[in-house]
Structure formats: C-alpha cells, structure tokens
Amino acid sequence: MQNTQSPTPNATPDTPMIYQAPMEGVIDHHVRALLSRIGGVDICVTEFVRVTHTRLPRRVFTRLCPELEQGAHTPSGTPVKLQLLGGNPQAMAYNAAKAVDAGAISIDLNFGCPAKSVNNSDGGACLLQSPSRVEGIVAAVRNAVPAEIPVSAKIRLGYSDRSSYLDNARAAEAGGASELAVHARSKVDGYRPPAYWEYIGEIREQLGIRVIANGDLWTLDDFKRCREVTGCDAYMFGRSLLARPDIGLQIQALCEGRDYQPLQWHQVATLLYDYYSTTKDIYPAKYLGNRIKQWLAYLKLSYPEAIRFFEQIKRHRDPELLEQAFAEHMRPAEGDGHLRHDHAESSAA
C-alpha cells in the first residue's frame, strides 16, 4: 500500500512538528481558531465524527469542521485534519469519501478514544483488540479517497494491556496510513501517569512513516525527556495545550535557541475573553460562561491565577459579573511574568 505525505510543512532537524490533539466536547473550531492564532501549532485535528452504518450528509462534517468551507484551514491558516471514528470499514470508507467531497484535505482515524460509551458501540480503542480490523479500516479509507489525500491514524498502546502496541502500529502502516499518532498508554491505563514513551520510541524505530508522540507532555522538561526517549520529530498536545496555550511557541524557541517570554496571566485572560466574546451568543443564558470554566480547569495546572478566577465565577452566569471578573484578570499585575510562570512550571510537572 503506497503512503502519501501530509500536506504540511516538514519538521526540521531542530524544530519538531506540533499537533493539536482532538478532544471531544472541548476543542471545537472556536478553540482551534484561537490556539492556531497564538502560533506554534502546525496541525489541528477535529473532534471525531461518529460513523455507524449511516451515510452522513455534508452538514455533519461542516458542523464539526466549519473550516471545510475555507479550504480546511483555520482563519490563521493552520491545516485541519477531519477525524472519523467507527468500526465498519465500508461505512468509514464511504463517509471518508463524502468528507473529502465536503472539503477535507486530510482524514484521521480514531482508534484511541477510551470512553466506555464509544467502545461499547464498536469505536475507538476497543478496535485495538484486533489489529486486523485496524488494518482493514485504514485500508478501506485509504482506497476510498484520492491518493493525494493523506490518511492518518491515532492509537493507544493497546486495550486491556500494552502488549499489542507494535501489532496495531504495523497494522495502521500496512493499511496505508501516512502517519501515526500514539498516545503512550493503553485504554485501561486511561490518563493515569506515567506515559510510557519508550513504547513510542520502539514504534518509531520499526515503522517507515512519521510517528507522533502523545501523552503527558505538560512542560518543556517533559518535551525534552520525551524527545530523548522517542526520537520523534512530531508531538501532539491536548490537555497540555489548553493548560499552556503557547507551549508550541515555547518549544520552537527552545529548539531554535531563542529567548522566549511565556504568556503572562493577563495575556491568557485576554485570550479567554476573546473566546468568551466570540461564543457567548451561541449558548443559552443558563450555560453562559461554562466553556470558560471548563478551560480554567486546565489553565489552573499552569497558572495559579486561574484558580482564583474560577472561584470568582463558578456560580455566576450573569454577563455583567463575568465581564467584571474578566476586566480584573486582564489587567497586568506586578510580578506577572517569570516568577509566576516558574511557580506554575514546577506545580504542573
């Protein structure tokens, strides 16, 4: 099976590719737009489109990925992969072709979701119990879309344990995947530390396609250790990207030997306000501010100020009170910079 290459810039020997990990119910097109505007993210991936036996209409793809109407790029120009999830090869193939017709420039296949509801419906990580099914689904999609459309996959190290990590990785490559993202845990491991990066290093050595390391990349020190262990030239960030929205820029500066001042809290609060302003009219009044509170749960891992912000607004949905809280946090504070960032670095590591 001939592989195609991703329509993305190549990693350099010094600077790796940075991918935004798909996060169901968290990273939608508004968040993708904001994160890619900050910079440091080379590739975005959508939340998964659930595929059963149904032939999905175009609106399903454009609802989850409005970027399809703009050439499958965010407003700042970052390419977006459309992710599909399902266990039926024929349905996956048909809907992948329909996604391309709708404007998708790259298809990603989800074999990593650990959610029980997804696994009980023959999707996500449960498919890792049968590498032949992984290969069959990848091959069906690969054969259904034009050769110039890359097909990639995301896996975990296994389902009930990590013993099938190489079998599933090889299956994805044999099916025709052009690159493979690997979350360094099994389904049963969930998100509990540690991440087993050494398995990713072995997968990279065994495969002839790009392998993207994913899992517990919270800080620059984590990145440096993962790079040393895996030897990868691409890394995927999900929860950690929400906790440190400029971690891609931090990594670029580190790899290029440049000084870089990480985002200070008032700058992050301003970005949050932009997100709030963009999305506040989308949700009913009773849900106003909920997505901000959700994001603060991640930001507090890197910014202590996020804890206080959350406490201020956690019971409020009144626009005036939310605006007042934002105004307070968007003001630069004395000492808002290296000292606070260094404290957060040690607390999130």
Side-chain angles (χ1 to χ4, degrees):
M1 189 74 61
Q2 184 177 4
N3 294 323
T4 57
Q5 294 301 311
S6 241
T8 60
N10 292 322
T12 68
D14 297 321
T15 306
M17 295 285 293
I18 303 298
Y19 290 65
Q20 164 254 306
M23 292 181 66
E24 173 70 11
V26 180
I27 300 184
D28 61 9
H29 69 281
H30 297 294
V31 179
R32 292 194 293 272
L34 189 151
L35 292 173
S36 59
R37 190 180 83 209
I38 292 168
V41 175
D42 298 297
I43 305 289
C44 290
V45 187
T46 69
E47 303 166 89
F48 64 75
V49 175
R50 184 73 171 96
V51 175
T52 53
H53 298 278
T54 306
R55 297 187 171 192
L56 299 173
R58 176 189 177 92
R59 66 178 180 273
V60 172
F61 303 113
T62 55
R63 184 178 68 245
L64 275 177
C65 186
E67 298 98 333
L68 294 178
E69 307 286 3
Q70 287 80 44
H73 287 70
T74 68
S76 58
T78 303
V80 180
K81 289 174 174 278
L82 181 73
Q83 188 179 82
L84 303 180
L85 178 150
N88 182 293
Q90 291 74 33
M92 291 285 280
Y94 175 86
N95 285 291
K98 294 297 289 184
V100 172
D101 289 343
I105 60 172
S106 184
I107 300 294
D108 189 58
L109 304 176
N110 183 325
F111 299 104
C113 180
K116 182 180 293 186
S117 59
V118 170
N119 294 166
N120 287 345
S121 300
D122 197 36
C126 73
L127 297 166
L128 299 175
Q129 297 174 102
S130 175
S132 64
R133 293 193 68 195
V134 171
E135 180 177 349
I137 292 167
V138 175
V141 171
R142 174 68 276 165
N143 290 330
V145 301
E148 67 271 16
I149 301 295
V151 174
S152 57
K154 188 172 192 289
I155 67 171
R156 283 177 169 250
L157 297 177
Y159 187 77
S160 58
D161 58 39
R162 296 180 289 276
S163 61
S164 62
Y165 67 103
L166 270 181
D167 292 336
N168 282 302
R170 287 171 174 149
E173 182 180 37
S178 61
E179 57 185 25
L180 179 69
V182 183
H183 184 107
R185 297 180 176 91
S186 69
K187 186 271 182 189
V188 171
D189 290 330
Y191 293 96
R192 294 186 304 273
Y196 301 91
W197 296 328
E198 63 274 16
Y199 289 82
I200 299 179
E202 188 173 351
I203 290 172
R204 183 193 63 78
E205 292 174 353
Q206 294 290 325
L207 267 57
I209 59 175
R210 168 174 284 165
V211 174
I212 306 157
N214 174 234
D216 276 12
L217 296 168
W218 293 99
T219 67
L220 286 181
D221 284 342
D222 292 335
F223 162 72
K224 288 186 283 188
R225 288 194 298 269
C226 184
R227 181 174 58 174
E228 181 179 348
V229 171
T230 67
C232 288
D233 68 354
Y235 299 84
M236 179 172 277
F237 297 81
R239 296 171 298 157
S240 53
L241 185 58
L242 295 174
R244 297 177 187 273
D246 65 339
I247 193 167
L249 293 177
Q250 295 181 34
I251 289 171
Q252 286 180 358
L254 171 73
C255 294
E256 295 169 6
R258 294 184 286 104
D259 290 334
Y260 176 76
Q261 170 64 57
L263 287 175
Q264 300 176 17
W265 171 246
H266 73 274
Q267 296 171 305
V268 174
T270 301
L271 291 168
L272 274 184
Y273 182 73
D274 290 346
Y275 175 58
Y276 167 76
S277 299
T278 300
T279 60
K280 65 180 180 180
D281 293 332
I282 298 174
Y283 303 104
K286 63 180 179 179
Y287 299 128
L288 188 65
N290 281 8
R291 296 301 290 264
I292 298 301
K293 297 167 190 176
Q294 181 185 51
W295 201 334
L296 288 170
Y298 295 100
L299 284 167
K300 69 182 182 181
L301 300 173
S302 300
Y303 294 91
E305 300 91 337
I307 300 173
R308 186 167 66 88
F309 193 3
F310 178 79
E311 290 299 320
Q312 286 177 267
I313 68 171
K314 66 180 181 181
R315 294 186 177 88
H316 297 300
R317 297 183 179 87
D318 180 78
E320 185 175 349
L321 292 174
L322 292 173
E323 294 273 351
Q324 290 174 359
F326 269 115
E328 175 186 341
H329 286 270
M330 289 189 293
R331 286 195 297 268
E334 184 178 353
D336 195 358
H338 285 294
L339 180 61
R340 295 186 181 199
H341 177 79
D342 291 345
H343 170 76
E345 180 87 12
S346 62
S347 66

